[in-house]
Amino acid sequence: MADDPFILIRPYFEDLANDEETRRLEASYKILSNLEDADRETIWRALERLIRGLASGRKSARIGFSITLAELLSRICGLENEFPSTTRISLSEVLEVLKSRTQPAAGSNSRQEERDHCLGRLFGLEAVLDAGVLFISGSTEQSQRDVVSLVLELAKKKSWLREECGWILCKAVRANPQTPFGESFARTVVEQICEKDLAHTPEGVAIWLSIQSRYPDIRLPKSPWHHRDPLHPKNMTTLPAVMKESSQPVELANEKEEQQRGMWNSKPHFSWDILFDRLSQRTERQREGSSKSKCVSFSEFWNAAVDNNLFAANASDERKHWGFSLFSKVMTEHSKDAIPDVFSKNMMRCLINQLSNRERYLHRTALKTLKTIHARVEREPGVADIMLFGLISGHGIGNFDQVTKTKTVATLLSQANPDALTHVVRHFDGLIQNPATQDTKGAESKRQYLADQLLSAVRAHKAEQEDEWLNELLDVMSKYAYFTVFDSKHPPDPPISAVSRKVFASRLSSCFTSVMATKAGDAHQWLYRVLSTLKTRERTPAGWSAVIRFDDSTGKANDSAWKKVERIRKTLYNGDSDALSVLQDLESCYDQLVRKKSHTDNDPSEVLVEVLLGLISKPSALLRNLAQEVFSAFAGDVNLAGLQALFKILESKESLAGQQDLFDKELDESEDDVSVVDVEEMEAASDQDGASSKEDESQGDAAETASSDAESDDDDTEMINGDDAEEAARLNAALAQIVRTQPFDEQADDHSGSSDDEKMDDDQMFALDDQMANVFRERKKISDMKTEKREAKETMLHFKNRVLDLLQVYVKHQHTNPLSPELLLPLLSLIRSTSSKQVSDKACALIRDFSQRCKGTAVPVVESAVATNLLDRVHAEAMREASRSHAAACSQSSLLLAKVAVAIDHQNIEKVVARYAETQTRWLKGECQVQPLLFSDLINWGTSYSKAKQKQKQ
């Protein structure tokens, strides 16, 4: 036993089952190396051991043993002649051992044992095919037939192994050499699958097409397929049914045994890959003119085999899953020429249905399908337009994102490159003209969705000056926003409604806002281009008609202002009622600034400030950004009067009265006056004694007077909340007078008293109804007044926020301007008086930013008297009782003015210290409510200032 050479290799067989690939390969190498000088008996024993190990289900035994077996067979049965001729073993002997060692023991009923032996035989036959011994000169047709027969018998016997059996034969066909022996093997395979009725199976199709591809001139049988080609147009009825994997062979369902696979596999059959590859090759050859055979196109095959088959309405969820997998395969692996074909009718219907409901069985599969679309576009941005056309046109749906509750279209637009975006914009233009619906509401909805998607494309991409897609996009938006299109060849159907035009105008403004925010090149050039296009269309009205018609005065002002302020011309197209006065103001500014012509005593900067205030008062992000851009351009020319126009808004009351004062509106009658009149009318309508009524009236008048006196200090919301109880009491009293009873709350407390009510007839009841209706009608007026006051407050807060935005621009560009310190007191007053924390925080941040920018010599240069006077006023503001944020802002403002005063003249430091000392003295005496922060900040700044001066002296 010690001399037995097999003992040397026995330990390595254990490692062939190891899960680590390196261990398996190392063991295989050791076995084969030790067998090179072994005798025939040792080799035979090793061969039997390898074949016996194929039936083992332990770890990775089948893989390790089959790889080693294939390598050993190639050496003992092949042409390499690495072993002595005396050790060579015939293929027929190997097959006999394989059949005997992979056969369950007699009388065994174990299904697991049978499964293991079937898998062992499959791996053994694969090793024989991989060894290549069937394609050499020494092989015989009988050997080829025996191997192929064993494989196909296994496929017939165990349907769950049918796909694997077909796969190893396809692999062998594609790997074998193009020699007479290889062609003989291919012919043997075809004959066998026809004999065993497997030609009309997915495996049979894959083998047939593989042989055709490997041996183009081979003569195949004509019986299974028309013209010996599964892809011939005449087979488009049979082939889809085969690929659907019907339970029985096509045309022979009543005569032959079942051919269905044993279990469902979530992965599509490998034959689909071969079909797609073969179709691609055929299509390319037909395009080049090198193929004479007739073949279906990819589109025809997809519609027949996939769309009308796997995605049919009555198809199972499992087959639809295969369909989605095939769609993803085309997205991932095939050229962009095939992409439009896979967005077919049934596929899109199924995709949209599965995406629209999370509870659907294939919802996650559909989401994965979308991910493959995004992955392809991310890898190849130029195909984004093809994807978008498939999703929202043809068999898709215009509002794909809305229906599917995804952001697919928006994401694709963000991934697209400029060329793809150009195609998308042109396609969207066509969809806007014809949204495929005659319903007005439906058309408006689709057009709004398309406008939103175009806007998302602008926001997702940084605009470049040479971008053709953006130029066309803005042209499309402006075309449908401001013009009626009456092109006789391609008119919008249905016509663009006023609602849709308003949507396009709004989205166009948002596009400009986004472009201006990117700061790409000269962002204003895009606005100029659009306005130039609008002007051209207006003057050449062939096919176009402007929605807004200008009267003579407006048209004259428009023409006069065009060369001066083109960017503001968009205001006219939006139908703004103030457009004429705006242009006239701008023309006046232009004459004074450029032509030096004076029409009024007002400084042109004041006029511009008034114009900008008019712009920022409107709820438009575009106008707000435009106003800030314009203000930054002439901020250095703004005089004190212009700044005071901004301060006036900050000082206005956040109430209805403040809004009316600011916008020059006449005051309506106050709500309390209305209430008094109403009570008086109700008193006149009743026969009640007037004593108690007069008492209520006098109380109401007193309340009105008190409310009017308090209005100057309190905002409307506080006044409204304070008057609610009084109004409720007044309403209660009025109702009590009508029904001639005590007030309801008094009745609830007085249970002992008896009511003196008399029964009323119908006329009295009707009269009572009218009186009560009047009470509740006036009550509604009071409620409307409250709503109006609340909205007025919101408007004023919005206006103040926009003014703070302008002042932020001023501080950013003009913090060293001599007028800049004038901002401090209005801002401090605003922080103290405003009821909005947002406005207060914004004003505090503005003062903080102002203070941080003024460092070293970068401070405003003003006269000493101006600086010290402002410092006194800031300290007076700090002495007023307010919030901690107000105290911090006062401290920062005071230090800023101290820096300014000392920078002008170092001797001013005495005045600064004296001012702080006086304030601190009053604080210690309890005469004011100054926060200690004011003095601690001075000490900190003084320490830094002193150290800086000492370094300068050194």
Side-chain angles (χ1 to χ4, degrees):
M1 294 294 292
D3 297 332
D4 187 356
F6 188 74
I7 296 178
L8 298 176
I9 62 174
R10 181 178 293 171
Y12 300 120
F13 287 102
E14 180 69 21
D15 286 341
L16 288 179
N18 199 288
D19 288 332
E20 295 183 14
E21 184 179 8
T22 54
R23 294 279 298 276
R24 293 197 304 269
L25 293 177
E26 183 180 357
S28 177
Y29 174 76
K30 294 289 186 181
I31 292 172
L32 294 173
S33 298
N34 283 281
L35 289 177
E36 289 181 357
D37 299 326
D39 55 15
R40 191 177 192 279
E41 182 182 356
T42 302
I43 294 175
W44 183 260
R45 291 176 64 186
L47 182 66
E48 287 186 318
R49 179 68 182 88
L50 290 173
I51 293 175
R52 189 170 69 251
L54 295 174
S56 173
R58 182 170 57 91
K59 297 184 180 179
S60 301
R62 293 191 180 98
I63 299 175
F65 279 87
S66 64
I67 291 175
T68 307
L69 176 61
E71 185 63 25
L72 180 60
L73 289 176
S74 68
R75 298 186 182 191
I76 63 177
C77 300
L79 297 177
E80 298 182 14
N81 293 324
E82 295 185 13
F83 292 174
S85 59
T86 56
T87 62
R88 295 179 67 81
I89 300 174
S90 66
L91 181 58
S92 59
E93 293 177 294
V94 174
L95 293 178
E96 287 297 328
V97 176
L98 178 62
K99 287 190 289 185
S100 63
R101 292 295 183 182
T102 56
Q103 185 72 26
S108 174
N109 295 323
S110 173
R111 298 186 63 181
Q112 182 62 41
E113 182 180 356
E114 181 183 12
R115 180 179 182 277
D116 289 339
H117 281 86
C118 288
L119 287 173
R121 178 170 295 189
L122 176 66
F123 275 86
L125 292 171
E126 184 178 13
V128 172
L129 292 170
D130 290 343
V133 296
L134 296 178
F135 316 126
I136 59 178
S137 58
S139 65
T140 62
E141 291 187 7
Q142 185 59 42
S143 298
Q144 294 176 347
R145 182 177 293 276
D146 290 342
V147 172
V148 174
S149 178
L150 286 174
V151 174
L152 295 181
E153 285 176 0
L154 185 60
K156 293 273 289 183
K157 181 179 179 181
K158 299 297 179 184
S159 59
W160 49 274
L161 285 178
R162 198 183 72 191
E163 183 175 353
E164 299 301 326
C165 293
W167 166 248
I168 64 174
L169 288 177
C170 279
K171 185 173 65 170
V173 168
R174 289 186 291 179
N176 66 15
Q178 291 179 322
T179 62
F181 299 100
E183 185 173 341
S184 173
F185 173 78
R187 190 176 293 106
T188 299
V189 172
V190 172
E191 292 174 353
Q192 287 288 312
I193 64 173
C194 291
E195 288 178 7
K196 298 184 181 301
D197 300 317
L198 292 174
H200 281 176
T201 62
E203 295 77 20
V205 173
I207 294 171
W208 195 286
L209 293 176
S210 298
I211 292 174
Q212 279 187 330
S213 178
R214 188 66 173 168
Y215 304 99
D217 299 328
I218 193 172
R219 191 71 175 175
L220 297 174
K222 63 170 64 173
S223 58
W225 301 103
H226 292 289
H227 298 271
R228 301 183 177 89
D229 184 6
L231 295 178
H232 192 275
K234 288 187 176 181
N235 292 315
M236 279 303 100
T237 300
T238 305
L239 182 60
V242 169
M243 296 310 297
K244 190 178 180 180
E245 295 189 327
S246 301
S247 60
Q248 296 178 352
V250 181
E251 299 176 352
L252 302 172
N254 297 325
E255 302 176 9
K256 303 296 181 181
E257 59 183 305
E258 291 189 354
Q259 303 294 326
Q260 188 179 21
R261 288 196 292 179
M263 58 182 297
W264 180 76
N265 188 353
S266 61
K267 186 179 180 180
H269 199 279
F270 75 91
S271 58
W272 287 101
D273 292 333
I274 297 175
L275 271 166
F276 285 163
D277 292 340
R278 186 63 175 161
L279 276 169
S280 299
Q281 295 174 6
R282 295 275 193 93
T283 303
E284 186 66 25
R285 290 177 183 174
Q286 287 180 347
R287 188 180 296 113
E288 296 173 355
S290 59
S291 176
K292 297 181 180 179
S293 60
K294 194 172 183 180
C295 176
V296 296
S297 65
F298 184 86
S299 176
E300 292 173 336
F301 174 78
W302 178 271
N303 288 329
V306 180
D307 193 60
N308 295 328
N309 199 9
L310 302 182
F311 284 116
N314 58 349
S316 64
D317 288 332
E318 290 77 11
R319 288 199 170 95
K320 290 177 181 177
H321 178 86
W322 283 342
F324 283 131
S325 299
L326 295 176
F327 178 91
S328 299
K329 186 178 293 293
V330 174
M331 287 291 120
T332 305
E333 302 174 3
H334 289 262
S335 67
K336 66 178 183 180
D337 295 333
I339 293 178
D341 298 328
V342 298
F343 289 95
S344 49
K345 180 180 179 181
N346 292 329
M347 183 273 163
M348 286 303 302
R349 173 186 53 77
C350 186
L351 178 66
I352 293 170
N353 288 341
Q354 297 296 332
L355 288 172
S356 60
N357 189 347
R358 290 178 175 269
E359 302 300 323
R360 291 188 180 275
Y361 186 70
L362 297 178
H363 178 74
R364 293 176 125 186
T365 303
L367 289 177
K368 290 181 180 179
T369 302
L370 291 184
K371 289 181 179 179
T372 62
I373 295 177
H374 293 309
R376 177 63 180 267
V377 176
E378 185 176 1
R379 186 175 74 250
E380 191 178 350
V383 302
D385 54 335
I386 302 177
M387 305 294 188
L388 285 167
F389 298 164
L391 293 174
I392 66 177
S393 302
H395 301 300
I397 184 170
N399 52 346
F400 184 87
D401 283 0
Q402 292 178 340
V403 174
T404 60
K405 302 178 182 66
T406 64
K407 296 182 179 180
T408 307
V409 175
T411 304
L412 290 176
L413 286 172
S414 66
Q415 294 176 314
N417 61 13
D419 291 337
L421 284 172
T422 300
H423 296 152
V424 169
V425 171
R426 294 171 183 173
H427 187 72
F428 275 32
D429 187 9
L431 294 179
I432 291 171
Q433 288 198 51
N434 295 283
T437 179
Q438 294 299 318
D439 178 59
T440 303
K441 294 294 183 181
E444 290 175 351
S445 176
K446 288 187 177 182
R447 285 165 175 163
Q448 179 177 348
Y449 173 78
L450 294 171
D452 289 338
Q453 296 307 318
L454 291 176
L455 173 58
S456 70
V458 176
R459 289 173 172 170
H461 293 270
K462 182 179 179 180
E464 299 294 343
Q465 204 65 28
E466 64 276 6
D467 280 345
E468 180 183 358
W469 71 270
L470 182 56
N471 191 41
E472 293 195 18
L473 184 149
L474 297 176
D475 181 65
V476 169
M477 289 279 205
S478 60
K479 174 174 64 176
Y480 295 115
Y482 305 125
F483 290 90
T484 299
V485 185
F486 54 89
D487 186 356
S488 58
K489 295 183 179 179
H490 304 287
D493 185 25
I496 307 295
S497 66
V499 173
S500 294
R501 281 197 293 270
K502 186 176 181 180
V503 167
F504 284 113
S506 173
R507 301 305 182 269
L508 180 61
S509 296
S510 299
C511 287
F512 283 130
T513 302
S514 179
V515 171
M516 292 175 66
T518 61
K519 303 294 184 183
D522 186 1
H524 298 292
Q525 286 298 320
W526 294 107
L527 182 57
Y528 177 81
R529 291 182 188 180
V530 172
L531 292 174
S532 299
T533 303
L534 294 178
K535 182 179 180 182
T536 302
R537 285 198 176 123
E538 180 186 352
R539 295 186 176 181
T540 55
W544 312 91
S545 176
V547 176
I548 301 298
R549 297 289 183 177
F550 303 146
D551 55 27
D552 293 340
S553 58
T554 305
K556 184 177 180 180
N558 178 30
D559 293 338
S560 175
W562 169 250
K563 296 180 181 180
K564 307 165 188 176
V565 282
E566 294 91 343
R567 285 173 293 180
I568 310 299
R569 187 171 181 265
K570 180 177 178 292
T571 312
L572 286 174
Y573 284 98
N574 279 330
D576 196 326
S577 59
D578 298 330
L580 178 59
S581 62
V582 170
L583 288 178
Q584 290 172 343
D585 290 341
L586 291 174
E587 185 174 10
S588 174
C589 294
Y590 174 81
D591 289 339
Q592 293 183 56
L593 290 173
V594 180
R595 297 185 176 182
K596 307 301 181 182
K597 296 180 180 180
S598 179
H599 299 288
T600 64
D601 295 334
N602 294 334
D603 187 271
S605 64
E606 298 177 37
V607 180
L608 277 176
V609 170
E610 294 293 339
V611 172
L612 295 183
L613 289 176
L615 294 179
I616 64 174
S617 66
K618 305 179 187 304
S620 169
L622 172 62
L623 294 180
R624 180 174 70 247
N625 292 345
L626 184 62
Q628 293 178 17
E629 292 282 339
V630 175
F631 188 73
S632 65
F634 77 95
D637 297 323
V638 177
N639 59 15
L640 182 58
L643 290 177
Q644 288 176 344
L646 300 177
F647 301 158
K648 179 182 177 181
I649 297 172
L650 298 181
E651 296 167 355
S652 300
K653 301 175 185 177
E654 297 168 0
S655 63
L656 179 59
Q659 183 188 45
Q660 292 169 336
D661 290 341
L662 190 62
F663 293 101
D664 298 327
K665 292 183 178 179
E666 295 182 0
L667 292 173
D668 297 328
E669 291 184 76
S670 68
E671 87 176 84
D672 295 316
D673 291 336
V674 172
S675 300
V676 173
V677 172
D678 296 336
V679 172
E680 291 174 348
E681 290 177 354
M682 289 184 289
E683 291 172 347
S686 65
D687 296 329
Q688 182 73 13
D689 186 6
S692 61
S693 299
K694 291 179 181 179
E695 182 181 353
D696 289 339
E697 180 181 349
S698 63
Q699 293 175 356
D701 292 337
E704 292 164 18
T705 304
S707 176
S708 177
D709 294 337
E711 188 176 6
S712 59
D713 296 323
D714 300 328
D715 58 54
D716 286 316
T717 302
E718 295 172 349
M719 182 186 71
I720 292 170
N721 294 335
D723 289 345
D724 280 346
E726 183 178 353
E727 290 171 0
R730 188 181 299 116
L731 177 64
N732 188 7
L735 292 174
Q737 294 168 10
I738 292 175
V739 298
R740 302 174 181 177
T741 64
Q742 295 179 355
F744 298 139
D745 52 351
E746 296 179 11
Q747 286 185 6
D749 297 333
D750 187 8
H751 296 286
S752 59
S754 60
S755 176
D756 58 353
D757 291 347
E758 298 178 357
K759 294 183 178 180
M760 294 182 289
D761 56 23
D762 291 344
D763 293 338
Q764 291 175 324
M765 289 292 292
F766 283 128
L768 182 63
D769 288 343
D770 293 339
Q771 294 176 25
M772 295 184 68
N774 289 333
V775 172
F776 288 110
R777 190 179 301 112
E778 298 305 328
R779 177 68 176 179
K780 185 178 182 302
K781 290 182 180 179
I782 295 174
S783 176
D784 293 341
M785 178 66 74
K786 293 180 181 179
T787 302
E788 184 180 2
K789 289 183 177 182
R790 183 175 61 253
E791 292 176 350
K793 180 179 179 180
E794 293 174 355
T795 300
M796 292 302 299
L797 291 176
H798 170 80
F799 206 5
K800 289 185 177 183
N801 269 305
R802 301 290 74 81
V803 171
L804 289 175
D805 290 338
L806 294 183
L807 292 179
Q808 180 66 52
V809 172
Y810 189 85
V811 168
K812 180 179 179 181
H813 298 283
Q814 299 294 325
H815 59 275
T816 59
N817 192 304
L819 295 178
S820 60
E822 299 291 340
L823 274 64
L824 296 173
L825 283 169
L827 291 175
L828 293 174
S829 177
L830 175 65
I831 296 170
R832 175 174 50 82
S833 62
T834 183
S835 61
S836 169
K837 187 178 185 301
Q838 179 189 12
V839 172
S840 176
D841 292 345
K842 201 167 188 177
C844 290
L846 182 54
I847 292 178
R848 185 165 55 251
D849 182 44
F850 190 6
S851 178
Q852 291 173 352
R853 291 180 183 274
C854 295
K855 295 180 179 180
T857 58
V859 296
V861 179
V862 299
E863 296 180 0
S864 297
V866 173
T868 54
N869 180 48
L870 287 174
L871 181 62
D872 292 341
R873 295 170 64 187
V874 168
H875 276 249
E877 179 69 27
M879 293 179 189
R880 304 186 67 168
E881 186 175 358
S883 64
R884 183 170 180 81
S885 60
H886 175 263
C890 288
S891 178
Q892 292 171 350
S893 301
S894 180
L895 283 180
L896 174 58
L897 292 171
K899 294 177 187 178
V900 172
V902 174
I904 298 169
D905 185 356
H906 180 67
Q907 300 301 323
N908 285 335
I909 195 169
E910 297 179 1
K911 297 180 180 180
V912 171
V913 173
R915 175 68 264 180
Y916 273 90
E918 180 182 350
T919 303
Q920 190 172 26
T921 301
R922 295 187 61 183
W923 173 59
L924 292 173
K925 291 181 178 181
E927 297 177 358
C928 61
Q929 299 293 329
V930 179
Q931 296 287 339
L933 179 69
L934 182 71
F935 310 113
S936 61
D937 284 350
L938 175 67
I939 294 173
N940 294 334
W941 172 76
T943 303
S944 302
Y945 181 78
S946 176
K947 290 181 180 179
K949 282 298 180 182
Q950 291 176 3
K951 288 183 179 180
Q952 290 179 1
K953 291 180 179 180
Q954 293 176 357

